[in-house]
Amino acid sequence: MTNTQTIQFPADTLELVHKIINRYPEGKQKSALLPVLHLAQAEWRWCSPEVMDYVASLLNIKPIEVYEVATFYTMFHLEPVGEHVIEYCRTGPCCLMGGVEVYDHLKKKLGIETGETTADGKFTIKEVECLAACGWGPVFQIREKYYMNLTTEKVDEIIDELSK
Amino acid sequence: MKILTEHIDVPGIETIDVFRKHGGYSALEKALKTMSPDEVTEEVKKSGLRGRGGAGFPVGMKWSFLAKPEGVPRYLVCNADESEPGTFKDHYLMMKSPHTLIEGMIVSSFALGANTSYIYVRGELMYVIHILEKAIQECYDKGLLGKNILGSGYDLDLFVQPGGGAYICGEETALLESLEGKRGNPRNKPPFPAVKGLWQCPTVVNNVESIAATSWIVNNGGEEYAKLGVGRSTGTKLISVSGHVRKPGVYEIPLGITVEDFIYADEWCGGIRAGHKLKAVVAGGSSVPILPAELILTTAAGEKRLMTYESLSDGGFATGTMLGSGGFVVMDETTCIVHNTLTFGRFYHHESCGQCSPCREGTGWMDKILYRIEHGQGRQEDIDLLVDVAKKIEGNTICPLGDAAAWPVAAAIRHFRDEFEWHVKHPEKATQPGAVFMREGASWTL
Ligand SMILES: Cc1cc2nc3c(=O)[nH]c(=O)nc-3n(C[C@H](O)[C@H](O)[C@H](O)COP(=O)(O)O)c2cc1C
Ligand code: SF4
Ligand code: FES
């Protein structure tokens, strides 16, 4: 397990953190919490207690204030995840657009269920609610990228490409 | 007539130069150089523009409630949390034409006397956040943001804030909590944000589409805007269409066209996909009551239903629905209403912030009961139990999420009770893959 000493953003990210803090009035730096947690997760893949403590120290707030928030919002991974986290939308409109079949295919292809990670640590599948892309469904997201109008063939292509 | 999306498919419209070539930032120049903030507010009032986030509250009136104590900053916060199932219009607009929103933000901030404004975007749309940030940087570079904009003496800083994945943060007070770096628990009202909002300062929260429309209103006048539409439903509306139509997508419609035209005309959805028939529609996002084919096309009184706030709600909840956020979900005869209702029930259970027990416990109960009905373990009395739980949530919570969770379940049972009963009585049939109940003699029965 890493400890706080070894957890440190690279210099350019640190600079960005300071810019973000400056978006808010003096003393309101806690507002930077969500943007900085996103940066932390991009850096370390998941929000370990050590990562959250580091974020607290950067913003000069208590660690509990970070835990409270990280556990409330579904985008933050509180357990280790694979290299590519596939978050598919399970809500009604995507199901109408053929989602159930496409997502079943995805699980079969990777040989894992929702919430699991492949043995090689390459893929994690998560189930999420509406991603605001309903008319372009079925849809999943991998990090910042949206994959829309999914079909079983498209899923094969995407996974094959990422498996290389 | 298109107000928000006229140039949306022009290549390069996301850049400031192309946007300006197509008339972009003319409203900003007009407002800052020739109008006072109150004059801008006056035009927005005259336009009759109603909030596009779901509740339909008049935008100009909301602005006029903003408290203006001396020496206290005021804020404009744009609600781009867009998480209501069926709704993806703000995503579409921001992704394709970020400057349309940014110009509206500058004009609106000027009207409200805000010198710092935020656009709160759901965190999943990080790629859209990057698009917005790039466009904002272009504005700073050209002197359209920052100090002394266009020599007017007006200063404005504009920032984009990501959410973290929580539908409840679309509720305006939860959004403000979230923007303060906290959990998204809605606040008790009053005080309203107009008096005590972001960091306890007076704040206006408006939807992306509401704010984007203000530029056109400044350019053309509130009266011109009010000429579009029907009655108190003025202007145009972005409708997000998903489900079983030939052409899902986002359409900007003049309010007042008939629902029938909207579904069947080639200009809009292009009809139901080939070989299928319309069964039901959720007209305004997952929170509004579902209606069967007959009632969405015509009111109980037999009149053609229009795409307006008033016509869609004609008949109350007994036979009507709501325009809501304009998330228009179309279902053909292959749709199992019980399954669709289960996904909505699960959604609200997942998204309840947990502060009020009727919502926290009630959404859990509804999810559980819907699950067992859908999976062939339902009991006859479960159907009435669902109605009862929904009733007990409604009106008994801090924020409207409780109602939003109760309405879709109550409406599905109101209009499709036979389908729930079929699941309970014939679990062996209902749990077959793709099995759907066919109501005898219904217009959608093939
Ligand atoms: C549970 C819940 C979710 C909401 N989600 C959104 C949303 O995603 N976007 C939005 O603009 N308004 C949403 N609203 C409505 C806002 O509270 C608020 O009324 C709106 O942002 C005001 O802007 P408008 O008047 O321009 O529509 C939501 C309300 C509730 C109760
Ligand atoms: S109604 Fe539900 S979401 Fe709203 S405050 Fe209460 S528990 Fe939270
Ligand atoms: S329901 Fe899947 S993106 Fe909205």
Side-chain angles (χ1 to χ4, degrees):
Chain A
M1 229 336 106
T2 42
N3 61 41
T4 320
Q5 268 73 48
T6 60
I7 290 181
Q8 168 100 33
F9 277 132
D12 52 339
T13 311
L14 265 182
E15 204 176 301
L16 182 56
V17 168
H18 291 294
K19 264 199 204 148
I20 292 171
I21 291 172
N22 281 326
R23 293 173 184 171
Y24 319 103
E26 188 80 39
K28 304 294 183 198
Q29 77 283 1
K30 184 171 174 175
S31 286
L33 184 47
L34 286 176
V36 174
L37 274 174
H38 282 298
L39 292 176
Q41 185 157 293
E43 189 73 34
W44 293 290
R45 271 197 219 170
W46 68 290
C47 294
S48 65
E50 292 78 12
V51 164
M52 291 193 276
D53 291 351
Y54 173 63
V55 168
S57 72
L58 281 177
L59 298 183
N60 201 13
I61 57 179
K62 294 192 212 85
I64 181 76
E65 296 177 86
V66 181
Y67 309 157
E68 273 176 354
V69 163
T71 53
F72 183 85
Y73 296 91
T74 53
M75 287 183 75
F76 302 111
H77 310 310
L78 302 171
E79 311 256 325
V81 289
E83 185 186 341
H84 304 289
V85 183
I86 304 173
E87 295 173 296
Y88 71 82
C89 166
R90 70 178 183 184
T91 318
C94 272
C95 295
L96 297 178
M97 311 289 278
V100 177
E101 189 198 342
V102 168
Y103 307 142
D104 280 347
H105 179 77
L106 169 73
K107 293 177 213 168
K108 221 179 276 160
K109 179 153 177 93
L110 292 177
I112 53 173
E113 283 303 312
T114 300
E116 295 177 351
T117 300
T118 51
D120 61 359
K122 200 102 184 153
F123 296 98
T124 300
I125 303 182
K126 286 202 170 187
E127 199 172 54
V128 296
E129 298 293 354
C130 179
L131 288 168
C134 328
W136 312 308
V139 50
F140 61 56
Q141 156 163 54
I142 303 179
R143 285 230 176 159
E144 294 184 7
K145 195 166 159 56
Y146 270 58
Y147 296 83
M148 301 187 276
N149 299 303
L150 291 170
T151 57
T152 50
E153 294 79 33
K154 268 199 194 170
V155 167
D156 286 341
E157 276 168 37
I158 295 162
I159 299 300
D160 292 346
E161 185 58 36
L162 291 174
S163 302
K164 277 184 193 158
Chain B
M1 180 74 212
K2 288 189 177 146
I3 285 179
L4 301 169
T5 59
E6 193 185 347
H7 304 297
I8 204 157
D9 289 318
V10 172
I13 199 72
E14 72 282 2
T15 63
I16 197 163
D17 292 335
V18 176
F19 184 70
R20 273 185 144 165
K21 243 180 240 149
H22 289 87
Y25 290 108
S26 51
L28 182 153
E29 291 205 22
K30 182 174 179 188
L32 267 60
K33 288 185 173 164
T34 71
M35 296 169 81
S36 70
D38 286 346
E39 281 168 348
V40 176
T41 302
E42 200 44 46
E43 291 305 320
V44 173
K45 267 194 191 162
K46 274 193 228 157
S47 74
L49 171 66
R50 290 165 70 178
R52 301 301 195 218
F57 192 80
V59 175
M61 199 187 297
K62 184 184 252 187
W63 288 11
S64 63
F65 292 153
L66 184 67
K68 297 182 175 163
E70 263 317 298
V72 180
R74 315 191 265 279
Y75 296 101
L76 171 63
V77 178
C78 173
N79 189 341
D81 190 56
E82 193 167 67
S83 310
E84 168 100 355
T87 317
F88 52 103
K89 66 187 177 79
D90 299 337
H91 176 184
Y92 172 76
L93 186 67
M94 295 187 291
M95 171 250 289
K96 302 261 286 183
S97 185
H99 286 290
T100 301
L101 172 60
I102 295 166
E103 180 173 19
M105 282 300 287
I106 304 173
V107 167
S108 304
S109 301
F110 171 73
L112 297 167
N115 298 111
T116 307
S117 296
Y118 298 92
I119 305 173
Y120 181 101
V121 184
R122 59 177 299 171
E124 292 89 342
L125 290 177
M126 199 55 88
Y127 86 96
V128 176
I129 291 178
H130 297 319
I131 292 172
L132 285 167
E133 283 180 335
K134 202 166 155 202
I136 287 173
Q137 190 54 49
E138 287 183 308
C139 290
Y140 275 103
D141 294 344
K142 305 258 168 167
L144 301 182
L145 277 171
K147 293 248 173 284
N148 193 18
I149 299 172
L150 299 176
S152 63
Y154 174 62
D155 306 336
L156 177 65
D157 283 313
L158 178 58
F159 303 109
V160 188
Q161 178 84 358
Y167 167 65
I168 191 57
C169 292
E171 193 282 331
E172 58 184 10
T173 61
L175 186 153
L176 295 174
E177 287 286 298
S178 179
L179 185 42
E180 292 182 5
K182 303 180 203 153
R183 295 164 76 94
N185 289 335
R187 300 173 181 170
N188 272 304
K189 295 196 249 189
F192 288 91
V195 179
K196 282 190 162 95
L198 184 59
W199 303 303
Q200 298 297 305
C201 298
T203 304
V204 165
V205 181
N206 274 132
N207 174 256
V208 172
E209 190 186 346
S210 315
I211 291 171
T214 59
S215 308
W216 193 94
I217 292 168
V218 163
N219 265 332
N220 300 275
E223 276 167 26
E224 281 305 303
Y225 188 88
K227 282 183 194 159
L228 305 167
V230 174
R232 286 179 56 240
S233 295
T234 62
T236 65
K237 175 89 189 81
L238 296 177
I239 307 290
S240 320
V241 183
S242 61
H244 298 139
V245 294
R246 280 188 37 231
K247 300 185 293 172
V250 176
Y251 296 98
E252 180 173 8
I253 62 158
L255 285 166
I257 63 172
T258 65
V259 173
E260 190 177 342
D261 268 354
F262 182 63
I263 295 177
Y264 291 100
D266 276 337
E267 193 181 353
W268 318 111
C269 306
I272 306 301
R273 58 182 179 162
H276 295 277
K277 284 184 171 175
L278 175 66
K279 177 176 183 178
V281 171
V282 174
S286 58
S287 303
V288 313
I290 188 173
L291 288 182
E294 288 81 11
L295 284 175
I296 188 67
L297 297 173
T298 48
T299 65
E303 281 167 20
K304 286 204 173 205
R305 220 185 263 284
L306 308 180
M307 297 289 285
T308 61
Y309 293 95
E310 293 74 24
S311 181
L312 283 167
S313 58
D314 186 281
F317 276 5
T319 57
T321 181
M322 295 198 295
L323 178 58
S325 62
F328 202 85
V329 188
V330 182
M331 303 170 198
D332 68 18
E333 82 290 342
T334 64
T335 309
C336 171
I337 301 294
V338 176
H339 180 263
N340 190 69
T341 310
L342 167 62
T343 77
F344 287 174
R346 192 171 59 183
F347 171 82
Y348 290 104
H349 180 206
H350 185 260
E351 301 301 332
S352 166
C353 85
Q355 275 193 114
C356 337
S357 20
C359 172
R360 182 187 61 237
E361 303 301 321
T363 53
W365 275 64
M366 291 198 302
D367 182 10
K368 210 192 240 169
I369 301 167
L370 284 164
Y371 183 91
R372 70 177 182 234
I373 297 177
E374 166 70 7
H375 290 86
Q377 294 136 20
R379 312 168 201 144
Q380 183 59 36
E381 59 275 22
D382 278 348
I383 302 170
D384 287 325
L385 184 56
L386 275 175
V387 176
D388 189 48
V389 175
K391 247 188 226 144
K392 290 195 165 113
I393 301 175
E394 201 181 338
N396 292 321
T397 57
I398 294 176
C399 92
L401 185 139
D403 295 348
W407 294 340
V409 175
I413 295 174
R414 188 179 307 125
H415 298 297
F416 296 96
R417 183 179 268 270
D418 50 357
E419 207 154 316
F420 285 83
E421 284 174 349
W422 182 73
H423 274 73
V424 172
K425 284 191 197 132
H426 304 285
E428 69 299 335
K429 277 191 217 160
T431 48
Q432 294 293 317
V436 177
F437 172 74
M438 283 290 166
R439 181 183 297 173
E440 223 168 290
S443 63
W444 57 83
T445 302
L446 292 179

